[in-house]
Amino acid sequence: MTEDELKQQICEIGKRMYDSGFVAANDGNISVKLNSQEILTTPTGVSKGFMTPEMLVKVDSEGQVLAAAGSWRPSSELKMHLRVYQERPDVQAVVHAHPPYATTFAVARTPLNKPLIAEAVVSLGCVPVAEYGTPSTNEVPEAVARYLEHFDAVLLANHGALAWGQDLLTAYHKLESVEFYAKLTFLSAQLGKAHELSTTQIETLYEIRKKLALPGRHPGNNCGVECDLPCNRF
């Protein structure tokens, strides 16, 4: 995609996030890599539902502004995006928002680690909770860094959700999947009888994922060493 096309796509995804209730007011941020040295990102102080391409800001891999119209500046939360790109060279886009169900689990500091539906097992695996960090500080990227090797999405304690992928649409779909997974987990708990998939069923789904050769990382695709993260694989 050209730079202009990516700008338009960022605005379309921002509007989709806003229309879906994933963000309120000026919440959330989006970034896309143009190349190894340049990144497009959303500006601070703007509703994601009302962005236009000329508002977007171009920064370098350190977050320094390369191009911006008028007084537009990148979000102070760009730091966590940059950390993802630094640790995961396969990633081309990062999306952050506050989807209500996912953020409810983030506030409760409860990982999404119940294997309830095949789609979540195959596309996400479990979704851990990165420890709380003060927004706009280096505490957030430091908290996220621990999960980058094996995951493509995390909940941010008392904050929201962060997802990444090989392109913007993939990153956004990861975010949508996290929210849907959180919603199903929450609502099924209200019925008091959510039946989890068995270990055998989960392993079968992992094999399907391997055969599909899906891009990105997955907690089921580890080196055979049992994960010691708070979420653990299913």
Side-chain angles (χ1 to χ4, degrees):
M1 297 180 73
T2 67
E3 183 173 329
D4 285 344
E5 289 172 335
L6 285 172
K7 286 181 176 181
Q8 186 62 43
Q9 188 181 46
I10 289 172
C11 292
E12 290 170 356
I13 294 296
K15 187 174 189 308
R16 191 177 300 184
M17 286 167 52
Y18 180 82
D19 290 345
S20 297
F22 287 9
V23 290
N26 300 331
D27 295 347
N29 31 79
I30 302 167
S31 69
V32 179
K33 283 178 70 174
L34 292 173
N35 51 57
S36 62
Q37 298 298 321
E38 297 178 315
I39 298 166
L40 281 175
T41 188
T42 49
T44 188
V46 174
S47 168
K48 303 307 165 291
F50 298 91
M51 287 188 304
T52 55
E54 63 271 14
M55 294 178 180
L56 301 179
V57 180
K58 186 187 295 186
V59 300
D60 65 17
S61 58
E62 301 297 320
Q64 298 300 311
V65 175
L66 299 175
S71 60
W72 299 117
R73 289 296 177 265
S75 166
S76 59
E77 293 189 318
L78 178 64
K79 297 180 183 69
M80 60 184 173
H81 295 240
L82 298 178
R83 187 59 176 267
V84 175
Y85 295 131
Q86 177 185 340
E87 301 286 342
R88 289 281 302 276
D90 60 306
V91 168
Q92 298 297 312
V94 181
V95 179
H96 166 58
H98 305 157
Y101 284 94
T103 303
T104 296
F105 278 85
V107 169
R109 303 193 182 186
T110 301
L112 298 172
N113 59 1
K114 296 185 183 300
L116 301 179
I117 57 172
E119 291 80 1
V121 173
V122 171
S123 66
L124 288 172
C126 54
V127 182
V129 182
E131 67 182 40
Y132 178 76
T134 305
S136 82
T137 72
N138 285 322
E139 294 174 4
V140 181
E142 286 298 319
V144 169
R146 183 184 182 201
Y147 300 92
L148 292 174
E149 182 178 357
H150 291 300
F151 299 88
D152 280 347
V154 296
L155 302 179
L156 305 172
N158 297 85
H159 188 165
L162 185 71
W164 49 90
Q166 81 271 22
D167 54 53
L168 180 53
L169 196 57
T170 298
Y172 175 70
H173 283 163
K174 292 280 185 182
L175 185 73
E176 274 194 344
S177 295
V178 169
E179 175 65 356
F180 186 62
Y181 182 15
K183 185 175 182 178
L184 289 181
T185 302
F186 181 88
L187 294 177
S188 62
Q190 308 311 299
L191 296 177
K193 53 179 181 181
H195 296 284
E196 299 181 11
L197 298 174
S198 69
T199 300
T200 300
Q201 290 167 331
I202 293 167
E203 292 299 334
T204 300
L205 292 170
Y206 283 163
E207 289 303 315
I208 291 173
R209 179 182 167 87
K210 289 178 183 177
K211 290 178 181 177
L212 292 172
L214 297 177
R217 305 290 172 82
H218 188 282
N221 291 347
N222 57 27
C223 60
V225 177
E226 192 66 24
C227 181
D228 67 349
L229 298 177
C231 177
N232 288 321
R233 59 177 280 183
F234 290 132

